[in-house]
Amino acid sequence: MGKVDIPYIDTIPVKGRQYYYYRRDGQRIRIHGEPGSEAFNARYNEVHQSFENPQNHASESRVVPGSLAALIIAYKKSPDFTQLAEKTRKDYRRYLDRMNEDIGKALVRRIERKHVLSYRDRFAGTPRTANYYMQVMRLLFTFGIDHGWMKQNPALRPKQLKTGEGHRPWEEWEIDAYRKTWPVDTVQRVAFELLINTGQRGGDVAKMTRQQAYKGEISVAQDKTKERLWIPQSNDLRAVLTPWLASHDHMVILTTETGRPFKIDYFRRVMREARAKAELPKDLSSHGLRYTAARILKELGCDTETIQSITGHRTEQMARKYSDKKRRSKVAIDRLNAARQGEK
């Protein structure tokens, strides 16, 4: 292809190949792809608009083309990022922005595995954070490969730093201590019973509505996995949830004192303070109740697939229809109720 008649585009032939650059105001920015292709047009329009509307694109126009900062900007604008759940976008954005501050000027094509591991080791004192950085990097560089920024992913399958036990299950005495501290008519107790009796993530519990508690079941569409679950209400959960719902007419189940819905950060703070008041060990977490639910059902003799019908944990082999999951979840809760009844 000869010279391309597109404003500000220069065509430079190198060893039989054509390379295209946007030249303007003393800058030269590489435009990947072939003129007329979707990738070329998208990148051209992005660069062109940054010059046409400098106030709206001031920060982006100063980014070095081909740098990690440029890749992060492109990723944040892509469906790979924008179609993630709101909480996931918030978490990823925090890590992406920190990477941009630390190493944003690095050219993507020159980033090697040793650089990735070196960045991971900056956070060795907080291994869970270090591992999360690796997760975000892996996704970012996968996007980079898919869109022609790089050829290999230097963050693919990095060795995870050891984090200890992580979100450990609660012991029976800890469960009892929490229940003794928080009466059944408190939001702290209702949140606890929802967590331990459904095995769901805090984010899914925090935003549950009264419509999800229908005819003795809890219906859940998990925010992270989009897994659809129907969980029968155990006796323990029903004994707390029924009077709680009768005590207010708000749409959401868990609300602040002024009736506002729980946000995930507020939910975490409430539960953290509730554990502290119950004088429980600091290594406990709300997410640990998800594992507690799975452990209890395992101890009652439920098989892995039956437990997954409650918690929604996924495996490569797990691909059940909704009706099968609903049947299995009923079996699990029936066993839980029978066991609890025998203890009384």
Side-chain angles (χ1 to χ4, degrees):
M1 182 179 291
K3 183 175 176 61
V4 177
D5 188 18
I6 301 176
Y8 303 106
I9 288 294
D10 273 356
T11 304
I12 300 178
V14 178
K15 295 182 179 180
R17 295 186 61 184
Q18 305 290 338
Y19 294 85
Y20 306 98
Y21 293 87
Y22 188 101
R23 287 183 178 270
R24 188 171 178 179
D25 297 342
Q27 297 188 53
R28 188 181 78 166
I29 302 174
R30 170 83 181 277
I31 307 295
H32 292 273
E34 290 296 322
S37 68
E38 183 177 350
F40 181 95
N41 291 341
R43 180 57 177 158
Y44 172 81
N45 289 331
E46 179 184 340
V47 174
H48 186 61
Q49 288 302 315
S50 71
F51 283 89
E52 293 291 301
N53 303 291
Q55 283 189 327
N56 296 337
H57 296 79
S59 61
E60 294 184 18
S61 65
R62 292 194 295 268
V63 171
V64 177
S67 65
L68 183 68
L71 177 60
I72 289 173
I73 290 172
Y75 175 63
K76 285 182 177 179
K77 292 180 178 180
S78 74
D80 297 60
F81 181 80
T82 60
Q83 292 183 1
L84 294 171
E86 180 181 356
K87 178 184 177 301
T88 304
R89 292 199 307 273
K90 181 180 178 181
D91 289 342
Y92 284 9
R93 189 178 292 111
R94 183 168 69 252
Y95 285 82
L96 289 167
D97 290 348
R98 174 64 188 274
M99 283 191 286
N100 189 14
E101 292 177 8
D102 291 342
I103 53 175
K105 294 181 180 179
L107 295 178
V108 171
R109 68 176 184 274
R110 294 182 180 175
I111 295 178
E112 301 177 11
R113 192 169 183 80
K114 63 182 180 180
H115 302 132
V116 171
L117 296 179
S118 176
Y119 191 72
R120 179 201 67 183
D121 293 346
R122 289 190 187 188
F123 307 94
T126 52
R128 195 177 300 280
T129 297
N131 292 338
Y132 203 96
Y133 269 113
M134 294 303 95
Q135 175 185 335
V136 175
M137 270 193 174
R138 176 175 55 81
L139 294 172
L140 176 66
F141 292 151
T142 296
F143 170 83
I145 292 173
D146 291 342
H147 292 80
W149 291 69
M150 54 205 309
K151 294 182 178 179
Q152 293 183 336
N153 190 336
L156 191 63
R157 293 190 297 275
K159 183 178 179 180
Q160 298 284 297
L161 299 183
K162 294 182 179 180
T163 59
E165 289 190 36
H167 300 286
R168 70 170 177 85
W170 290 40
E171 301 293 342
E172 287 296 327
W173 73 266
E174 293 167 337
I175 295 172
D176 290 341
Y178 188 97
R179 283 174 169 156
K180 289 177 181 178
T181 303
W182 296 104
V184 296
D185 59 350
T186 61
V187 70
Q188 290 85 351
R189 178 65 175 275
V190 178
F192 173 85
E193 297 297 346
L194 283 168
L195 288 165
I196 195 171
N197 286 283
T198 68
Q200 300 307 299
R201 298 175 181 86
D204 292 317
V205 169
K207 66 179 185 179
M208 282 183 179
T209 65
R210 61 173 58 240
Q211 283 81 359
Q212 290 177 252
Y214 183 69
K215 290 187 176 180
E217 292 184 342
I218 297 289
S219 63
V220 181
Q222 292 186 333
D223 192 45
K224 182 177 181 179
T225 66
K226 310 307 177 187
E227 193 83 0
R228 173 69 69 175
L229 304 168
W230 292 269
I231 307 166
Q233 294 180 31
S234 69
N235 294 339
D236 287 339
L237 177 57
R238 188 181 296 109
V240 171
L241 187 58
T242 300
W244 176 261
L245 291 177
S247 70
H248 69 77
D249 57 1
H250 302 302
M251 183 71 71
V252 294
I253 295 176
L254 304 176
T255 67
T256 66
E257 293 181 356
T258 58
R260 293 180 177 275
F262 271 28
K263 298 294 186 181
I264 183 58
D265 290 339
Y266 183 76
F267 174 85
R268 289 170 176 164
R269 190 181 81 188
V270 166
M271 297 306 292
R272 183 168 60 249
E273 292 174 353
R275 294 193 300 272
K277 186 172 181 180
E279 298 182 347
L280 294 173
K282 293 183 178 180
D283 65 338
L284 281 185
S285 67
S286 294
H287 197 75
L289 290 170
R290 180 164 161 79
Y291 299 110
T292 307
R295 185 202 67 195
I296 291 172
L297 294 172
K298 182 68 174 177
E299 291 173 351
L300 294 175
C302 296
D303 59 38
T304 301
E305 291 185 357
T306 300
I307 296 170
Q308 288 169 328
S309 71
I310 298 291
T311 64
H313 281 112
R314 285 181 169 180
T315 66
E316 294 180 3
Q317 297 79 24
M318 188 62 179
R320 298 297 182 195
K321 294 182 179 180
Y322 294 162
S323 59
D324 185 46
K325 285 189 287 189
K326 191 170 182 179
R327 175 182 63 79
R328 288 183 175 276
S329 65
K330 184 177 185 304
V331 171
I333 296 301
D334 284 347
R335 290 187 182 181
L336 177 61
N337 287 335
R340 293 301 188 201
Q341 189 66 30
E343 294 175 357
K344 297 177 180 178

